[in-house]
Amino acid sequence: QLHLTMSEKNELTKSLEIVQKELQEKESEMKREISEYKDRLLQAEKEHQDAVTEASRKNEVEIEACQDKMNSLEHFISSQKLEIEHLKSSKEELNNSLKEANQTLGELLKTKVR
């Protein structure tokens, strides 16, 4: 009886060792897979961050270009307004000179008629 029990114990011990070894192998494989997934996740996060950074950089460049264009247009508009004011002033001066010339001409004509 004792011999039979010892034999069963040995078989159970061997069986337990086999199960423990299988569990260790599975645990090791799962740790390896987890490590791979973590690496892939880190790589994906890095690629995402790189894409975000590149998009931000492109947007900043585009914003700067638009601001430069807007500044240029504002400067152009400002110079056009100054030109318009100058032309209005010149027109006023010409109108005044024309009035004076017409008055002088009228006076000359009156003098000539007498």
Side-chain angles (χ1 to χ4, degrees):
Q1 183 77 22
L2 181 62
H3 180 69
L4 185 62
T5 304
M6 289 299 283
S7 178
E8 283 179 0
K9 181 189 171 207
N10 284 341
E11 282 181 35
L12 286 173
T13 302
K14 283 182 183 177
S15 201
L16 180 62
E17 287 174 358
I18 290 171
V19 169
Q20 284 178 332
K21 185 177 179 185
E22 287 176 355
L23 283 173
Q24 285 177 343
E25 287 174 0
K26 281 191 176 186
E27 180 185 17
S28 186
E29 183 180 340
M30 290 177 87
K31 284 182 178 177
R32 183 185 55 77
E33 285 180 1
I34 288 171
S35 177
E36 286 177 9
Y37 287 130
K38 283 182 180 176
D39 288 347
R40 286 166 58 187
L41 178 63
L42 286 173
Q43 181 63 28
E45 286 175 345
K46 183 187 179 305
E47 289 172 3
H48 174 72
Q49 186 58 46
D50 289 349
V52 168
T53 301
E54 179 64 15
S56 292
R57 188 193 63 77
K58 283 182 179 178
N59 284 341
E60 286 175 13
V61 167
E62 199 171 315
I63 287 169
E64 279 184 27
C66 287
Q67 284 176 335
D68 288 347
K69 189 171 185 178
M70 193 172 76
N71 289 339
S72 175
L73 288 171
E74 285 175 350
H75 179 73
F76 177 74
I77 288 169
S78 178
S79 68
Q80 291 299 303
K81 283 181 180 178
L82 285 174
E83 181 67 19
I84 288 169
E85 288 304 314
H86 176 71
L87 290 172
K88 282 181 181 178
S89 175
S90 295
K91 178 186 171 191
E92 186 83 21
E93 288 176 14
L94 285 173
N95 280 338
N96 289 338
S97 295
L98 184 60
K99 282 180 187 175
E100 287 177 16
N102 280 332
Q103 284 176 355
T104 305
L105 182 61
E107 289 171 7
L108 286 173
L109 286 174
K110 283 180 188 176
T111 306
K112 186 178 177 184
V113 170
R114 291 185 191 167

